[in-house]
Amino acid sequence: MFEFIAFYAFAAIAIIASLLVIGQRNPMYSVILLIVSFGALAGLYVLLDAPFTAVTQIIIYAGAIMVLFLFVVMLLNVPREEAIASRLGARARRTGAVLSLVFTLEIVWALTRLSVMPVSSGGGGSIGSVARIGTALFTTHAFAFEATSLLILVAMVGAVVLARKEHH
Amino acid sequence: MISLNHYLILSGILFAIGTAGVFLRRNVITILLSIEIMLNAVNLTFVAVGRYLNTVDGQIITFFVMTVAAAEAAVGLALVIALFRHRETLSPDAFTALKW
């Protein structure tokens, strides 16, 4: 029963916050609301017996990535989106809204046709144990893990090069 | 009883919200935020299916997706800063030099 209430509460928070993210004109509010949505997702990960993922969700997403977004929003100091005055503003907007609604209905329709697959609840933390994740990460997936460090290095150099001021 | 289907439908709805953001918004930063929403929807699917199959692989791939998202955010925001420096706007309609 608790799981039932918690799932629907977190799901409602995630959906409403995400809708508000794309409904805001001010990117500052969008970023803050997205942090709320990520917090709700972390709660869902706890319900799914994945505490490690929940903690990394908070630390990496809400803590690191969103702070990066906040810095850029503050740095560029463009609080508001310009009013839509472009060539095919209204029509493109309407088409986009219809397409995304169709996409939502399509996904929900496809998924409700599946037979019910129960997720066993409260399995004693066997899946969620950090030791099991660490073992798999450093043995089976060791190559991918090392490749990730290279990816981070490339991204770091790329970000510095792209955002650098050009002197000439 | 909460089943895997609940999680899959929730993640589908979140993904659709992300695509709607990419379609509807005229601000590069909000579009990047919408991409983050979509990445998170996919992460939720991975963790839920991993729980259903009783394997730890779902969480491991989520870990890698988070790393890629961090790299993507760093490079994407650096691009946003460079674009803003050139055109003084964040509207994607202003960046159409490659459009035929």
Side-chain angles (χ1 to χ4, degrees), chain A:
Chain A
M1 190 60 204
F2 167 74
E3 197 196 355
F4 194 78
I5 297 170
F7 174 82
Y8 278 103
F10 285 134
I13 293 172
I15 290 178
I16 291 169
S18 303
L19 278 176
L20 288 174
V21 166
I22 66 167
Q24 288 293 328
R25 284 225 171 277
N26 189 337
M28 198 76 185
Y29 295 152
S30 291
V31 175
I32 306 275
L33 281 162
L34 195 55
I35 295 176
V36 173
S37 167
F38 287 168
L41 279 175
L44 287 171
Y45 292 150
V46 172
L47 282 184
L48 279 169
D49 193 18
F52 175 75
T53 309
V55 170
T56 43
Q57 169 87 5
I58 296 287
I59 294 175
I60 299 181
Y61 261 119
I65 299 183
M66 284 303 117
V67 170
L68 195 65
F69 272 96
L70 270 184
F71 269 130
V72 170
V73 170
M74 288 175 176
L75 189 69
L76 296 184
N77 201 17
V78 239
R80 296 191 162 273
E81 192 167 323
E82 294 94 7
I84 305 293
S86 54
R87 307 166 301 279
L88 23 89
R91 208 177 61 198
R93 177 164 280 230
R94 218 174 306 128
T95 316
V98 169
L99 278 179
S100 28
L101 194 66
V102 168
F103 183 58
T104 318
L105 293 177
E106 189 182 336
I107 284 185
V108 171
W109 175 76
L111 288 176
T112 44
R113 292 174 74 230
L114 291 173
S115 55
V116 174
M117 297 170 279
V119 181
S120 53
S121 63
S126 56
I127 299 287
S129 87
V130 181
R132 241 182 103 181
I133 297 174
T135 310
L137 199 58
F138 290 116
T139 55
T140 324
H141 305 280
F143 177 74
F145 186 75
E146 293 300 329
T148 300
S149 59
L150 195 65
L151 174 76
I152 296 277
L153 180 69
V154 171
M156 208 163 70
V157 173
V160 170
V161 168
L162 283 172
R164 184 187 53 180
K165 268 209 170 63
E166 289 160 45
H167 300 285
H168 50 81

Side-chain angles (χ1 to χ4, degrees), chain B residues 1-90:
Chain B
M1 192 59 212
I2 302 298
S3 62
L4 177 62
N5 307 48
H6 288 80
Y7 286 100
L8 291 182
I9 288 173
L10 171 64
S11 133
I13 291 172
L14 285 177
F15 192 90
I17 292 173
T19 52
V22 173
F23 280 144
L24 297 177
R25 298 321 303 259
R26 282 289 158 266
N27 182 333
V28 182
I29 290 184
T30 319
I31 290 176
L32 279 176
L33 290 177
S34 305
I35 293 174
E36 298 293 335
I37 296 178
M38 288 195 267
L39 285 169
N40 270 277
V42 175
N43 276 350
L44 183 63
T45 306
F46 276 130
V47 175
V49 174
R51 181 82 186 84
Y52 172 68
L53 296 175
N54 203 26
T55 164
V56 86
D57 290 346
Q59 291 181 62
I60 287 178
I61 200 159
T62 300
F63 177 80
F64 288 126
V65 170
M66 279 182 193
T67 321
V68 172
E72 172 253 324
V75 175
L77 288 171
L79 279 172
V80 168
I81 291 176
L83 287 172
F84 187 76
R85 208 172 269 154
H86 279 280
R87 293 284 165 88
E88 292 287 314
T89 174
L90 286 182

